[in-house]
Every structure is written in C-alpha cells, then in structure tokens.
Amino acid sequence: MDPYLLGLRLEGRRVVVVGGGAVASRRVPALLDAGAEVLLVSPKVAASLEDLAAAARIRWEARGYRPGDCAGAWLVCACTDDPEVNAAVAVAAEAQRTWYVRADDAGASAVWTPASGQAADVRVAVLSGDPRHSAGLRDAILDGVRSGALSARHGRGHRGGVAIIGGGPGDPGLITVRGRQLLAEADVVLTDRLAPRSLLDELRDDVEIIDAGKIPYGRAMAQEHINAALVSHAQAGRFVARLKGGDPFVFGRGAEEVLACLRAGIPVTVVPGVTSAVGVPASAWVPVTHRGVAQEFHVVSVHVAPGDERSTVNWELLGGSSGTLVLLMAVERIGAVADELLRYGRSPDTPVSVIADGTLPTQRTIKSTLEQVESRIAEEGIRPPAIVVVGNVVNVAAEITELIRHVTALRTG
Ligand SMILES: C[S@@+](CC[C@H](N)C(=O)[O-])C[C@H]1O[C@@H](n2cnc3c(N)ncnc32)[C@H](O)[C@@H]1O
C-alpha cells in the first residue's frame, strides 16, 4: 500500500529515540528543529548528541532500552545497531499505538522517513522505494527552488520591499543559499559591477535588470540615484533585489541603502555575503590568520591614499603591527601605501600577495615584497579589482601551493 503523507507538528510533543549513533545524530537535530521534546535512550552517544544533552536541548538516559521507555511518546525512533532491541522497541510502540520508525528495517517500520530538506520557506519531502533516488530527487528539487529554476513566484504570496544581497566575490557558487533564493523571487534586480553577474542569466525574462554600474553622474550622485530607484520600484509594489559584490556592509554602502529604504517606509532585509577581503585571499590559498603567524588581520579601504586629507586610516599603527593587512582598492595607490608601512616599521622584505579577479576564471596572483610590490604590479599589468595581502601569511600560501604541486605530481605519476 502507498503511504499516506503528512507533516508532523511535534512542538512540545515527546519523541523517544533509542540508540545514539550515526542515525540518531542525523534524526535528532531535525526533530529539535520541529520543536520535539526528545528523550534519548542509549548507553553511549555520538559527540554531537552529548553536546545537545549537555546544553539541555535533549534528555539523555545513559543506559540500554527498557520496557516502558516509549510511554507518553507520539513518535518513536528505533535506531540502535541491534535488530533485537529495535524489534522490541517497535513491538512496544505498536502495542501502545504510537508511530515508530525502525532504522534497520523499512519493511517492519510503521513510518518511513522521507528524504527532506528546506529552501527558504519551502519544505520538500520525497519518498520513493529507493532512499538514494529519493535523496537525489530532493536535492534536484531544492537546487531548482534555490536557483529559481523551479519558481512559483507568480503563485505565491507576494513579497514586497527590498533585499540587499551580498553576492560574494564573483564566482556565482559563492552567493549564499538565501541570497540566491531571494534573487530568484525578485521582480527587479539592481546589480553592481562586481556582483556575480552570471547569476542574472538564470532570471526569468520578465525580471527587470538595472545595471547600477552604468548609472551616470559622479560616485555620490550615483548612490542617490540607486537609493531612489530602490525606493521607487518598491513603492510601485515590486520586490527589489539589490545584488552587490562581496558583503553589502564591507565597503559596500549597503547600510546607506538600508537607511534610504527605511526612511521611505520600505521594508528591507540584508543577506550577508562572502566578502572579497577574506574570500579572495582564500581563493589564492592565503589564510588571513594562521596559528603562530598572524593573530589578527586588518581590512583597509585604500580608496584614498595615505596622506590624503580624507583618509582616516592610522598607518602608523598598521606599520607597527605584525598582523595581516588586507587592502582593498589599493592597486593604484600601492606605492604610497608601501612607503607609509616601511616608514612606520614594516620590513622591506615583508611578503605581499596581489590577487586580481579573485574566484573568477581570470584570477591572477603575484607574490612580491613590500619594497617591490609597486614595480611588480606595473610590470605584470595588474588591474583592479584586486586584493593586496601584506604579511607572513603569504608564505603559508606558498607552502600550500608547493604541497599541492607535489601531491598532484604523485597522483598523476
Ligand atoms: C567597493 S569595494 C567592495 C567590497 C565588497 N563589498 C566586499 O565585501 O568584497 C571593491 C573592492 O573590493 C575588492 N574586490 C571585490 N571583488 C574582488 C575580486 N573578485 N577580486 C579581487 N578583489 C576584489 C577590490 O579591492 C575592489 O576594488
């Protein structure tokens, strides 16, 4: 017979889980997400379950199963590795008319657990005869919902307002799941020059795409026009996605856009993104911190040079520190920056990495020193967008890439 599909609302209801191994470790967090009161019975449990018990999120009886353990339960999960114990649990649950899952024997289970998952507010559960097939279908559906390929945008309750979305440093795979979901729901998308533009190809034909990088006037003026466009489209009842590069609140003027929306009475949400300040160095194997090498990192915008009256950066402090420096918008002003850091105490042979077009197919990395970085950038013709990393962590990247070469050589014979 085909099963009858339901969504169990477990809030405040007792669920008894017998067994504390890998299956229980997967089931218990999902039961807690549904609000269940979990009683776990097992002499030993996996570390993640022990943590949940220590945090009083579940009650753990550290012993074997005993008759009577299922009393008061709405649902019982028998997931020990002993079929006899699982069978005894199932018999007890059946006798008291409580639904039960036997992890070791689907045929003897009163309930089957579907392959399930969630994309934003959509829950997906798939049951087929074959758990692997179910999981594959579940993944395909979730991917479709997240990318917008499976969208009920016109059928669902309308989402208004503005979402300021951090798109990550450029690789379309580095946007968050929530960012992609909201992008797929948008009626209008305002995008930046450094946002992951390849995601725009996935949008439906009727989505209006506005290239904010092409809005005329000077920098400050352009921002006012962007703010005005966000507000006016939202006021017209459209759901507006503002797709930005990296994280919206890291040198991204995201908070200005939030304030402009709120001042106009428009509901606004922010989706954090992978900032280029950390993601781009990582894409070139540069860790911004490393035990015993760098205990701190400083992220600095060099959109104005040291010495410029608009600069608020304390270069003396940065020159005197041994922490990693991550410099954004620094390519054109790198000579002045290097001079300043040398003046305040950094060594001329401090390693420097310059990573242009990070995470994109055109990514380029050069390694240099503080003394030579300006001429190396000129020689190599490095152009923005680029991140400059100053500090000994750059040597860790060199060590990693050397080992990768070695491992690759071994594997390819
Ligand atoms: C106006 S800031 C925006 C930063 C962004 N909000 C973030 O969190 O990554 C622009 C600067 O970010 C850096 N940047 C952004 N994307 C980059 C990429 N893919 N590769 C290298 N640098 C990048 C460059 O220094 C660029 O000049």
Side-chain angles (χ1 to χ4, degrees), residues 105-109 112:
D105 186 349
S109 233
W112 290 335

mmCIF file of all heavy atoms in Angstrom, residues 105-109 112:
data_model
loop_
_atom_site.group_PDB
_atom_site.id
_atom_site.type_symbol
_atom_site.label_atom_id
_atom_site.label_comp_id
_atom_site.label_asym_id
_atom_site.label_seq_id
_atom_site.Cartn_x
_atom_site.Cartn_y
_atom_site.Cartn_z
ATOM 1 N N ASP A 105 15.112 -1.605 9.371
ATOM 2 C CA ASP A 105 14.213 -2.484 8.630
ATOM 3 C C ASP A 105 12.974 -1.700 8.185
ATOM 4 O O ASP A 105 11.988 -1.583 8.925
ATOM 5 C CB ASP A 105 13.802 -3.660 9.539
ATOM 6 C CG ASP A 105 12.979 -4.703 8.783
ATOM 7 O OD1 ASP A 105 12.549 -4.418 7.644
ATOM 8 O OD2 ASP A 105 12.770 -5.799 9.341
ATOM 9 N N ALA A 106 13.056 -1.152 6.953
ATOM 10 C CA ALA A 106 11.942 -0.322 6.460
ATOM 11 C C ALA A 106 10.650 -1.129 6.418
ATOM 12 O O ALA A 106 9.572 -0.608 6.739
ATOM 13 C CB ALA A 106 12.273 0.209 5.075
ATOM 14 N N GLY A 107 10.763 -2.417 6.069
ATOM 15 C CA GLY A 107 9.556 -3.245 5.948
ATOM 16 C C GLY A 107 8.832 -3.420 7.269
ATOM 17 O O GLY A 107 7.621 -3.639 7.300
ATOM 18 N N ALA A 108 9.572 -3.315 8.399
ATOM 19 C CA ALA A 108 8.968 -3.513 9.715
ATOM 20 C C ALA A 108 8.652 -2.178 10.393
ATOM 21 O O ALA A 108 8.313 -2.144 11.574
ATOM 22 C CB ALA A 108 9.929 -4.316 10.592
ATOM 23 N N SER A 109 8.768 -1.095 9.621
ATOM 24 C CA SER A 109 8.558 0.243 10.176
ATOM 25 C C SER A 109 7.128 0.690 9.963
ATOM 26 O O SER A 109 6.568 0.474 8.892
ATOM 27 C CB SER A 109 9.456 1.212 9.402
ATOM 28 O OG SER A 109 10.242 1.956 10.243
ATOM 29 N N TRP A 112 7.794 5.747 7.398
ATOM 30 C CA TRP A 112 9.027 5.904 6.625
ATOM 31 C C TRP A 112 9.459 7.355 6.696
ATOM 32 O O TRP A 112 8.626 8.262 6.569
ATOM 33 C CB TRP A 112 8.806 5.515 5.156
ATOM 34 C CG TRP A 112 8.591 4.036 4.981
ATOM 35 C CD1 TRP A 112 9.024 3.060 5.822
ATOM 36 C CD2 TRP A 112 7.902 3.388 3.923
ATOM 37 N NE1 TRP A 112 8.654 1.825 5.357
ATOM 38 C CE2 TRP A 112 7.962 2.003 4.179
ATOM 39 C CE3 TRP A 112 7.247 3.811 2.778
ATOM 40 C CZ2 TRP A 112 7.382 1.058 3.339
ATOM 41 C CZ3 TRP A 112 6.683 2.892 1.933
ATOM 42 C CH2 TRP A 112 6.744 1.516 2.215
#
